[in-house]
Amino acid sequence: MVLARRGVAGPNAVIVAVVADMALLFSAVYVVTPPSEYSRALIIAIFPVQFTQLYFGQRATIYNLACVTVFFTVIVLAAAGHGMPPGLAERFWDLSLFIVGTMLLVLLQGHVARRLKRIVQVFEKAQEGDFSLGYDEALDRMPDAITVVGRAYNRMRGRLETIVLTDPLSGCFNRRGFDQLAVREVSRALRGSHPLSVLALDVDYFKSINDEYGHLTGDEVLREMGLLLRETARLGDVVARYGGEEFEILAPDTNHEGALILADRIQHAFRTRPFAAVGVERAITISIGIASDLARNDRIATVLIARADEALYVAKRNGPDRTELWQPGMRAFDGSLPGRRSIEQGAMKLDE
């Protein structure tokens, strides 16, 4: 009644319930069973011990086995004290065999539970969009059904990562994938106090492309743009479609000089490569905003994205086909506008 009212069973409540169950079981055996058949109590006790292991874990199971040992000893000694020959040696041999056999089962189930927990951790990571953790088959000395599930996940991991973290239109990372990789790169940069750069890129006059050629052609332009950015970016750069026609590049170990060189290479590639979707008669250009700084805390990526976003708006205002490097005091829009970040607040946080 108490547990039904509270809706939760704490460790103490579980132990009390285990002790009460065993006391009831062995009291009933003592009343209705002849001493020569007390081993029946051990057979019956196997079931509550297994249920305890399944639902409450090894600690409660150890208490359960201790109760079995104590109560079995009590009823055997009580029978002997009343002159009933229980066969003490045989009864305690039965108890010993029960304890050994049950402990082996408990250890086996505990091993299985730990392996299942490993699989749960893998799937929890995957649920968060992190596919870096795979199931370690090397820890399974005797492969079984759990190993089969782990192997199946490992085979699907690459495909799941592509589905969850990649933008299907451009082939670049999506926003979720970008944010996840940014966390990894920021952590690495913090350990070595390395610089980071973020490039925000936006297609110039993309709305006119959609209006003139249609949205399907606009999608083809984004597809070609994603391919061109991946080909032009350096190994280790994180290229993502951040939304609409806006892309982001996270450049690890890159200061503002290196970021400007990368931006110049990207713009040159756009100027010299015709897009098949619109033909040679229509040039596709981009505007780029750049922000760079040393990694001082784990908020650096958020601040750099905000700064690059503002520099991008300055580039588009002064452009098209232009690159702008963020500078302190740069203002492209009111930081209080919906959907826009306050660079001033970001800079303050970065300096904390």
Side-chain angles (χ1 to χ4, degrees):
M1 290 173 60
V2 171
L3 295 179
R5 184 171 66 252
R6 293 182 178 178
V8 63
N12 293 333
V14 171
I15 293 171
V16 169
V18 165
V19 173
D21 286 345
M22 293 299 98
L24 177 63
L25 169 62
F26 284 91
S27 296
V29 169
Y30 180 74
V31 171
V32 303
T33 304
S36 60
E37 304 298 334
Y38 278 175
S39 57
R40 295 174 184 175
L42 299 178
I43 296 174
I44 299 172
I46 290 175
F47 297 99
V49 168
Q50 295 304 305
F51 290 145
T52 304
Q53 168 72 17
L54 178 63
Y55 290 108
F56 302 112
Q58 287 192 359
R59 182 185 176 190
T61 306
I62 296 300
Y63 275 103
N64 204 325
L65 289 175
C67 288
V68 171
T69 303
V70 170
F71 289 128
F72 186 82
T73 302
V74 167
I75 64 172
V76 169
L77 294 179
H82 286 82
M84 294 179 286
L88 287 178
E90 293 299 326
R91 299 294 78 77
F92 284 115
W93 267 113
D94 292 341
L95 177 61
S96 300
L97 292 174
F98 170 82
I99 295 297
V100 171
T102 306
M103 283 300 299
L104 289 175
L105 284 176
V106 167
L107 292 175
L108 176 61
Q109 290 182 345
H111 177 65
V112 171
R114 287 191 294 272
R115 293 171 60 206
L116 289 173
K117 186 177 180 180
R118 282 163 44 204
I119 287 186
V120 170
Q121 290 173 341
V122 166
F123 279 100
E124 285 177 345
K125 285 285 188 180
Q127 189 176 6
E128 298 169 0
D130 183 357
F131 294 91
S132 60
L133 184 64
Y135 183 77
D136 190 355
E137 301 176 33
L139 297 178
D140 296 345
R141 288 183 287 180
M142 297 181 64
D144 56 10
I146 298 176
T147 310
V148 172
V149 175
R151 287 174 179 170
Y153 171 80
N154 288 341
R155 289 195 298 268
M156 286 293 296
R157 185 169 56 145
R159 181 169 177 80
L160 288 171
E161 184 174 16
T162 299
I163 293 172
V164 174
L165 303 181
T166 305
D167 172 51
L169 180 60
S170 66
C172 303
F173 288 106
N174 57 23
R175 186 164 184 165
R176 184 177 195 174
F178 181 86
D179 291 343
Q180 181 177 305
L181 290 174
V183 171
R184 184 191 68 186
E185 293 300 335
V186 166
S187 177
R188 192 170 66 87
L190 282 172
R191 289 195 297 270
S193 297
H194 296 152
L196 285 171
S197 293
V198 171
L199 286 72
L201 309 92
D202 192 84
V203 181
D204 296 322
Y205 309 121
F206 187 73
K207 184 177 183 303
S208 66
I209 296 175
N210 280 332
D211 293 341
E212 185 177 349
Y213 295 95
H215 288 279
L216 291 179
T217 299
D219 288 347
E220 287 298 321
V221 169
L222 293 176
R223 186 174 289 109
E224 291 186 62
M225 181 179 177
L227 177 61
L228 182 57
L229 288 176
R230 296 197 308 275
E231 291 176 346
T232 310
R234 306 162 306 174
L235 185 66
D237 292 341
V238 181
V239 183
R241 183 185 175 201
Y242 219 60
E245 70 275 15
E246 184 175 340
F247 288 73
E248 302 272 347
I249 298 179
L250 175 65
D253 299 326
T254 304
N255 57 20
H256 70 275
E257 291 94 347
L260 285 168
I261 293 172
L262 175 60
D264 183 66
R265 186 164 71 242
I266 292 172
Q267 285 195 319
H268 177 74
F270 273 79
R271 293 177 189 134
T272 57
R273 176 171 170 172
F275 278 65
V278 295
V280 295
E281 69 276 5
R282 177 65 183 262
I284 302 294
T285 62
I286 58 171
S287 297
I288 302 176
I290 299 174
S292 302
D293 209 332
L294 288 175
R296 298 188 180 96
N297 58 47
D298 57 6
R299 295 185 295 274
I300 180 66
T302 301
V303 173
L304 290 181
I305 291 170
R307 290 175 175 177
D309 193 33
E310 189 155 28
L312 171 63
Y313 272 77
V314 172
K316 292 184 74 67
R317 184 182 63 193
N318 298 335
D321 192 22
R322 184 182 179 89
T323 296
E324 289 285 350
L325 176 66
W326 185 86
Q327 301 290 342
M330 177 179 284
R331 292 292 181 270
F333 45 76
D334 183 358
S336 65
L337 289 175
R340 292 292 153 211
R341 314 169 187 89
S342 170
I343 305 303
E344 195 169 314
Q345 293 177 359
M348 291 174 62
K349 289 181 179 179
L350 185 62
D351 293 333
E352 289 176 357

